Amino acid sequence: MFCFQCEQTAGGKGCTKVGVCGKQPEVADKQDQLTCALVGLARAAQGKTPDEATGGLVMKALFATLTNVNFDAVRIDEFKSQVEAAKAKLGGAADLDWETLWQGDQDVVSLRSTLLLGLRGMAAYARHAWLLGKKDDEVTAWLYKGLRAVGEDHSVEEWLGLLMEFGQVNLKCLALLDEANTSAYGHPVPVKVPTSVEKGPFIVITGHDLYDLKQLLEQTEGKGINIYTHGEMLPAHGYPELKKYPHLKGNFGTAWQNQQKEFDGIPAPVLYTTNCLMPPRASYADRLFTTDAVGYPGLIHISGENGTKDFTPVINKALELGGWQEDRTFTGINGGTELMTGFARNTVLGVAEKVIEAVNAGAIKHFFLVGGCDGAKMGRNYYTDFVKKTPKDTVVLTLACGKYRFNDLNTGEIGGLPRIMDMGQCNDAYSAVQVAVALAGAFNCGVNNLPLTLVISWYEQKAVAILLTLLSLGIKNIYLGPTLPAFISPNVLNALVEQFNIKPISTPDADLKAILG
């Protein structure tokens, strides 16, 4: 096997024996074969108009190749069979030679891999929107175009052009997902979320898919079962159409990489709607359920037609296990017992005048967007320390699971606004972009001239997609860590540094001094 698509990859170079994530060589090879079959499907689709079901299949199959999503060789084979059948309906075409997927000139492999990994991230976003009935022909068409490009020869300049074009299309995809979520569930509002768990039966739901949560809430209503979010599902509490359910009680646990400890012996089922799934321990494997693109050998999978699902097996398991006998209080990594979320674009832009006044009065000197993916590698405490050290006259915007490093901190307020504002999931990056654009408009300057610094932690492919979108918007001076991607070659890195001044993180003190002077 060879896999270097995530931040934790072995030796910072690539997993060749077994994935650090727990992915076995057989599964890694089958995912590569699935990827190459998708390239073949994209080739067969050129000049034709595939039906919507085929576009949905491309999204779901690409989603299954993301880190920590699908560890099940049987399910990957099923995806490949479906892709081959769809390709045959379009007249057929040759698959990409999977043995050469990661081989060739170092810089070409780097650029090709960056595009492919970005496509995987965008497919996940497009899948969420697609399940809510929101589709964009340009986004779907670019999935086909990008897959074809992965199997073609291009100059370095052409690859860079494709990456910037992809970034712009991914922005449209993020806007589509934003529209899908807000039209279905309303615009998020600020809300305080407890980290305690009440006695009695409960279900933990993790991942990103709000539609799965909505269905689970509907199916558990009046059954004496409480629902707790985990990981990237935390921002669900801010959506009016989800928070109206009184049995949506709070958030259990912290970031995804702590699940093996936090789920150990839990007297409740856990439903995985998307990544991030880690190989489960025996103490709780019998109570894990997967759905949609997620899979793991031996776990019960909940399937459904076009996203509509029956979660009865999960509900029955919750009633069987019964939960804890008494209320329990849990804390974040910094000891906090309450989390805030719901500061999406509608909320932040709703108080834009107040923010602008605070900037003009000198009450707010700088904005930081500290967010992205969390992970288990050493060095992630940088983000906790960075936020702790930010001056009291600065605001920290955050999104994605990287916030679990500091979202239970009480850093105070500025003019009635909390200094830490959680804008949502990685899926909600569109909110951050819109806020930055609105502030730039208010101050009559470019985004790069704002008192705004992006301090990004990356882990997997959705972070790659978002980074390419930010670069396509011309955003510069991004601090990126905790380590640089293994798939970025030295020459490609130099090109990105030269054009966008991307900076590897160093230490919180040194970086804050460089940013604030």
Side-chain angles (χ1 to χ4, degrees):
M1 69 174 287
F2 179 77
C3 184
F4 62 176
Q5 68 180 14
C6 79
E7 184 263 341
Q8 68 181 359
T9 196
K13 296 180 179 179
C15 296
T16 57
K17 296 182 179 179
V18 66
V20 173
C21 65
K23 183 167 59 178
Q24 297 300 306
E26 177 192 17
V27 176
D29 289 345
K30 287 181 180 294
Q31 287 182 340
D32 284 352
Q33 292 174 42
L34 173 58
T35 298
C36 293
L38 284 164
V39 173
L41 174 57
R43 289 169 171 171
Q46 190 165 16
K48 301 169 186 175
T49 307
D51 57 25
E52 284 189 354
T54 302
L57 173 61
V58 171
M59 297 169 195
K60 189 175 181 180
L62 270 174
F63 200 163
T65 64
L66 263 73
T67 303
N68 293 89
V69 172
N70 201 308
F71 298 78
D72 192 336
V74 174
R75 296 270 323 284
I76 299 299
D77 280 340
E78 290 173 356
F79 281 123
K80 186 171 183 292
S81 296
Q82 293 168 13
V83 169
E84 293 290 3
K87 183 180 70 172
K89 284 176 61 178
L90 291 169
D95 293 347
L96 179 66
D97 181 359
W98 71 275
E99 291 185 346
T100 63
L101 184 60
W102 313 111
Q103 297 178 7
D105 176 82
Q106 184 183 35
D107 296 331
V108 171
V109 171
S110 177
L111 293 162
R112 181 172 65 216
S113 300
T114 303
L115 178 59
L116 173 59
L117 303 185
L119 286 168
R120 289 177 173 178
M122 186 171 79
Y125 298 135
R127 173 70 178 168
H128 290 304
W130 191 85
L131 288 172
L132 289 173
K134 299 295 183 180
K135 305 173 179 70
D136 185 309
D137 290 341
E138 183 179 0
V139 171
T140 304
W142 221 95
L143 287 172
Y144 291 114
K145 177 180 178 177
L147 284 167
R148 284 193 296 271
V150 167
E152 298 168 347
D153 293 326
H154 300 280
S155 68
V156 171
E157 291 73 20
E158 288 170 339
W159 279 118
L160 290 171
L162 282 165
L163 292 176
M164 293 303 99
E165 184 181 342
F166 165 82
Q168 287 293 302
V169 175
N170 187 58
L171 179 62
K172 293 186 176 182
C173 185
L174 290 169
L176 182 71
L177 179 54
D178 179 89
E179 179 190 356
N181 284 335
T182 55
S183 62
Y185 314 118
H187 284 278
V189 296
V191 61
K192 293 180 179 179
V193 183
T195 59
S196 56
V197 176
E198 296 180 12
K199 65 181 179 181
F202 68 98
I203 296 170
V204 174
I205 181 168
T206 188
H208 305 72
D209 201 302
L210 300 178
Y211 184 39
D212 284 334
L213 173 58
K214 179 68 158 53
Q215 294 179 80
L216 183 64
L217 288 167
E218 292 172 341
Q219 294 174 33
T220 51
E221 196 167 17
K223 295 186 177 179
I225 300 172
N226 291 327
I227 307 299
Y228 293 88
T229 56
H230 171 267
E232 281 274 64
M233 199 63 79
L234 167 65
H237 292 272
Y239 287 93
E241 289 302 308
L242 299 176
K243 69 190 296 289
K244 71 180 183 182
Y245 290 90
H247 60 300
L248 178 61
K249 290 290 187 178
N251 191 74
F252 176 80
T254 53
W256 66 269
Q257 74 275 4
N258 300 323
Q259 65 188 261
Q260 290 178 325
K261 177 181 178 181
E262 294 174 346
F263 292 168
D264 191 17
I266 183 175
V270 180
L271 174 63
Y272 287 85
T273 66
T274 60
N275 52 327
C276 293
L277 168 64
M278 295 178 71
R281 294 178 177 175
S283 66
Y284 63 88
D286 66 329
R287 56 208 64 184
L288 299 190
F289 296 81
T290 62
T291 191
D292 207 61
V294 192
Y296 195 89
L299 301 188
I300 298 175
H301 186 76
I302 306 293
S303 58
E305 189 67 28
N306 293 323
T308 302
K309 298 161 187 172
D310 180 1
F311 290 118
T312 298
V314 187
I315 294 169
N316 289 340
K317 179 61 74 170
L319 294 171
E320 172 194 331
L321 292 171
W324 280 297
Q325 298 297 309
E326 56 187 22
D327 296 351
R328 293 205 174 191
T329 299
F330 298 91
T331 65
I333 68 168
N334 301 291
T337 58
E338 195 173 63
L339 310 174
M340 283 200 73
T341 190
F343 291 93
R345 62 182 175 88
N346 203 52
T347 294
V348 177
L349 295 179
V351 295
E353 288 187 7
K354 193 174 184 179
V355 172
I356 293 167
E357 289 175 3
V359 173
N360 290 333
I364 297 177
K365 295 288 182 57
H366 205 87
F367 296 89
F368 296 98
L369 176 61
V370 184
C373 312
D374 205 357
K377 261 191 174 181
M378 296 293 292
R380 296 266 177 181
N381 59 309
Y382 166 93
Y383 298 95
T384 309
D385 296 339
F386 186 95
V387 171
K388 285 181 177 179
K389 291 174 181 289
T390 55
K392 298 299 183 183
D393 55 4
T394 62
V395 171
V396 176
L397 305 174
T398 187
L399 49 75
C401 62
K403 61 176 166 276
Y404 280 100
R405 292 279 166 176
F406 51 80
N407 67 340
D408 64 323
L409 289 170
N410 182 2
T411 58
E413 298 181 344
I414 299 179
L417 298 173
R419 284 192 56 235
I420 297 179
M421 299 186 193
D422 176 15
M423 306 189 78
Q425 301 177 342
C426 62
N427 299 19
D428 299 312
Y430 182 73
S431 274
V433 170
Q434 291 304 301
V435 168
V437 169
L439 287 175
F443 291 111
N444 195 29
C445 66
V447 172
N448 290 315
N449 300 117
L450 285 171
L452 168 68
T453 303
L454 278 63
V455 184
I456 305 298
S457 56
W458 89 279
Y459 176 76
E460 46 90 11
Q461 296 77 68
K462 285 183 280 187
V464 176
I466 291 172
L467 178 62
L468 291 175
T469 291
L470 294 174
L471 298 182
S472 75
L473 291 169
I475 295 177
K476 298 183 177 182
N477 304 312
I478 296 173
Y479 284 75
L480 182 65
T483 57
L484 295 176
F487 53 83
I488 298 293
S489 69
N491 287 336
V492 171
L493 176 61
N494 288 338
L496 294 177
V497 168
E498 181 177 344
Q499 186 170 353
F500 300 104
N501 201 24
I502 292 178
K503 305 172 186 289
I505 62 171
S506 58
T507 67
D509 288 324
D511 290 344
L512 280 167
K513 183 177 181 180
I515 294 166
L516 300 175

